[in-house]
Amino acid sequence: MHVRRHRLGMHAATILALSALATGCGRMVAIKYEATNPWKGQGAVTVVPFRYEAAEDHRVSPREVETNRAANTELYLSQEIGAFFTEAFRRELAHSGYRIEESSPRTVSGAITRFFVDWLEDERFFELHAVYTVGSVAENGFAWECSSIQRGPNALAQDSVLIRRGTADCMQRFIRAAQDAHVL
């Protein structure tokens, strides 16, 4: 009986969220992330899920992109932003040649401190700020911050393009910086 109530509660929450989106309060974006970085590496890495600070601070929901408060609509990813970012990062590392393992002594974790989309009359832009931390049993660790701003024409389809480009930009620059510092 308890499981049935839980499922009904989950279905009700899903229906409520979808109805809010359908009434013009928000828009859902699905992003298919493809790793593209040119850097090559090797070895095992554990990727700890990235934290989405705006959701942790209860400014937005875990799937909600930060937007201008004056905007008449909200923008949501089809998955939680921390999960999207973590999976995209795992793909970038695997594309480079790293093995993603659950218990490697070398870990990468971090936080998304800004994940923001805004649209003006003639353009859209996406702003990303992320903090990466590489830890190792043998080393003190390495921290690196990234900011990326991507701009494009003011069209609904641009949101996913700009988010994908900004995410790839920060991840590729982090991988290069971590390799240059000999921690990745």
Side-chain angles (χ1 to χ4, degrees):
M1 185 69 169
H2 175 69
V3 172
R4 182 179 204 122
R5 281 190 204 143
H6 180 69
R7 284 186 186 157
L8 288 173
M10 287 177 34
H11 290 305
T14 301
I15 291 169
L16 182 61
L18 291 174
S19 67
L21 290 173
T23 59
C25 296
R27 193 169 59 79
M28 183 80 64
V29 174
I31 299 174
K32 183 178 179 194
Y33 190 86
E34 298 286 334
T36 59
N37 82 76
W39 313 120
K40 296 300 173 204
Q42 60 184 359
V45 179
T46 297
V47 177
V48 177
F50 280 75
R51 297 178 299 103
Y52 181 35
E53 288 186 355
E56 287 182 358
D57 295 343
H58 305 288
R59 295 189 314 259
V60 296
S61 74
R63 294 175 190 247
E64 188 176 355
V65 177
E66 294 176 275
T67 58
N68 184 328
R69 293 197 185 272
N72 292 330
T73 187
E74 291 88 28
L75 179 65
Y76 298 87
L77 293 191
S78 59
Q79 66 185 114
E80 290 186 3
I81 290 169
F84 159 76
F85 201 83
T86 301
E87 182 56 31
F89 186 61
R90 285 181 177 139
R91 287 178 185 217
E92 290 289 356
L93 288 173
H95 180 77
S96 291
Y98 294 98
R99 289 184 327 278
I100 309 303
E101 295 182 357
E102 293 296 317
S103 60
S104 170
R106 182 173 37 183
T107 62
V108 179
S109 60
I112 304 149
T113 59
R114 182 99 161 137
F115 200 88
F116 180 84
V117 169
D118 200 3
W119 40 93
L120 308 169
E121 273 189 45
D122 59 344
E123 76 172 349
R124 285 176 121 62
F125 74 90
F126 170 66
E127 181 180 357
L128 171 68
H129 295 264
V131 178
Y132 299 82
T133 305
V134 179
S136 171
V137 173
E139 299 174 12
N140 290 334
F142 172 79
W144 195 80
E145 290 187 39
C146 178
S147 294
S148 182
I149 296 177
Q150 302 293 317
R151 298 179 184 280
N154 190 2
L156 292 176
Q158 283 296 303
D159 292 335
S160 63
V161 171
L162 298 176
I163 290 170
R164 191 172 37 246
R165 278 196 326 221
T167 300
D169 176 43
C170 269
M171 290 181 182
Q172 290 172 18
R173 289 193 287 139
F174 163 72
I175 291 170
R176 186 72 213 155
Q179 287 178 339
D180 287 347
H182 306 290
V183 296
L184 193 59

